[in-house]
Amino acid sequence: MTAYILRRLVFIIPTLLGIMTINFFIVQVAPGGPVDQLIAKLQGQDNRAAERIGGSQQGDMAARNAPLQSGSKYRGAQGLDPELIKEIEKLYGFDRPVYERYLDMLKRYAVFDFGESFFRNKKVIDLIIEKLPVSISLGFWSTLLIYLISIPLGIRKAVKHGTPLDVWTSTVIVIGNAVPVFLFAILLVVLFAGGSYLTWFPLRGLTSPNFDTLPLSGKILDYFWHLVLPILSLVIGGFATLTMLTKNSFLDEINKQYVLTARAKGLRESRILYGHVFRNAMLIIIAGFPSAFISLFFTGSLLIEVIFSLNGLGLLGFEATIARDYPVMFGTLYIFTIMGLITKLISDLTYMLVDPRIDFETRGQ
């Protein structure tokens, strides 16, 4: 087991390196980078953009009076002094060759130094730490509830296959799978967050303004009070697939020969179901845990963060991509890649806990 864990940890390094390398060079050739963004602001007479390169008066005068620059590699650079363009490139580090920026990124990221955001004037690691509690809250609690609901429900549906219980729960599951998560979120806001009817729950934020003054019990209640609607939105949209996967997996195992043999021996159904079927049927469900968690942790919670004004990593990464804030883009990508790889390793190790017959020491990879 130890050798397998060490081997997997070593493999994380080249995998992480490959992902960061591919994304780095793709982004370098993509149009609309940070230099283009600042040039566009200068052309629009944005004083705040001009201040970033040495003062609003200098930026405005350069934008209005500089000669046309022809042959520039930046769109919208016409009308700006070439020296001004060089200052902007130096501001974002684009005055250096690509390979130097790439090697510098690798050296800094090896010690979790992600640099400073281009447009937020704040260190990327501080931004990530600031947004992390929101994303962890959404990802952890929604994933936990989805598994706590879906697995028992899926097992029950498999045992009661074809009964009225199975039919009406399947109807609910089909509806939950068909309606987008954000639509459920909007419906919950309208019904329970002061949209048109009730005002039982807050509409924005993870905590109340007076959170710091509350006692410990009050802080816990306030925290979960703010999470009710976002988590409920994610759970409604996410439990359908796992429930049907659990049901089909258990149905497949229940019809196998070893189950018929166990029944012929007179074993109780509960002993057969949880002593023999469970560990075999749960393997495929455990295999899907990493992708389910990462999906809810990032992409699945993006719209929820927007609707409920929750400033998490999903929203941070999305805004950074739109603004071409490369340090934030690569910093969040780095963190999520590491999380995904480590979660995959944890998932593989969980196989052994469910089924001790799996021995990682005998695996050759």
Side-chain angles (χ1 to χ4, degrees), residues 2 6 16 19 24 42 62 64 83 136-137 144 166 189 200 225 240 242 244-245 250 253 275 300 311 323 341:
T2 303
L6 292 175
L16 182 62
I19 292 174
F24 177 86
L42 285 171
R64 287 197 295 265
E83 293 300 320
I136 290 178
S137 297
L144 178 64
D166 181 40
V189 168
W200 289 354
W225 181 49
L242 184 60
M244 295 308 298
L245 178 64
F250 271 81
E253 291 295 325
N311 206 358
L341 294 172

Side-chain angles (χ1 to χ4, degrees), residues 58-345:
Q58 174 190 351
D60 288 341
M61 291 296 293
R64 287 197 295 265
N65 301 326
L68 289 177
Q69 176 177 324
S70 59
S72 174
K73 60 182 178 179
Y74 302 109
R75 295 185 299 177
Q78 290 77 12
L80 294 180
D81 188 349
E83 293 300 320
L84 185 61
I85 301 297
K86 290 181 180 179
E87 287 185 39
I88 297 175
E89 290 180 327
K90 185 176 180 180
L91 175 67
Y92 296 127
F94 282 81
D95 57 328
R96 297 180 297 163
V98 173
Y99 72 89
E100 285 188 12
R101 302 201 304 270
Y102 170 70
L103 294 176
D104 179 63
M105 182 192 74
L106 294 183
K107 287 188 293 185
R108 290 188 295 103
Y109 278 34
V111 292
F112 288 86
D113 177 12
F114 304 126
E116 186 172 312
S117 168
F118 285 162
F119 304 112
R120 294 174 182 258
N121 296 321
K122 198 170 185 180
K123 288 185 177 181
V124 175
I125 189 65
D126 292 336
L127 284 171
I128 292 176
I129 293 174
E130 178 185 324
K131 314 298 182 185
L132 203 56
V134 173
S135 295
I136 290 178
S137 297
L138 291 176
F140 175 77
W141 292 115
S142 57
T143 304
L144 178 64
L145 285 177
I146 286 173
Y147 271 74
L148 288 177
I149 294 172
S150 299
I151 293 177
L153 180 59
I155 295 173
R156 191 65 177 173
K157 285 174 63 63
V159 174
K160 300 293 185 179
H161 179 62
T163 64
L165 173 67
D166 181 40
V167 173
W168 73 260
T169 53
S170 295
T171 303
V172 175
I173 288 172
V174 169
I175 295 174
N177 193 43
V179 180
V181 173
F182 75 91
L183 198 57
F184 275 120
I186 294 174
L187 178 62
L188 292 175
V189 168
V190 171
L191 293 177
F192 303 111
S196 299
Y197 298 94
L198 304 173
T199 56
W200 289 354
F201 300 99
L203 180 58
R204 57 178 56 88
L206 193 62
T207 56
S208 298
N210 64 334
F211 180 79
D212 292 334
T213 63
L214 297 174
L216 179 59
S217 59
K219 289 181 178 180
I220 295 175
L221 289 175
D222 183 73
Y223 168 73
F224 284 106
W225 181 49
H226 282 75
L227 279 178
V228 169
L229 295 187
I231 296 301
L232 185 58
S233 302
L234 290 170
V235 170
I236 291 175
F239 85 102
T241 301
L242 184 60
T243 300
M244 295 308 298
L245 178 64
T246 304
K247 175 191 173 182
N248 294 333
S249 179
F250 271 81
L251 276 179
D252 183 57
E253 291 295 325
I254 287 173
N255 294 324
K256 287 186 176 180
Q257 183 61 45
Y258 73 90
V259 176
L260 299 177
T261 303
R263 285 173 176 164
K265 291 181 178 180
L267 294 180
R268 292 178 299 174
E269 283 294 323
S270 59
R271 174 70 181 278
I272 296 172
L273 187 63
Y274 295 104
H276 298 279
V277 174
F278 184 81
R279 66 182 182 184
N280 294 325
M282 285 297 293
L283 290 177
I284 190 173
I285 298 168
I286 292 174
F289 173 77
S291 60
F293 179 76
I294 296 300
S295 176
L296 285 171
F297 192 78
F298 185 59
T299 57
S301 63
L302 173 58
L303 291 175
I304 299 301
E305 289 179 11
V306 173
I307 292 172
F308 291 99
S309 300
L310 297 171
N311 206 358
L313 282 179
L315 187 58
L316 175 66
F318 175 76
E319 291 177 346
T321 303
I322 297 298
R324 300 297 195 273
D325 196 342
Y326 290 166
V328 178
M329 286 173 58
F330 290 126
T332 53
L333 174 66
Y334 189 82
I335 293 296
F336 278 110
T337 302
I338 290 178
M339 286 176 52
L341 294 172
I342 293 178
T343 308
K344 178 62 178 175
L345 173 60

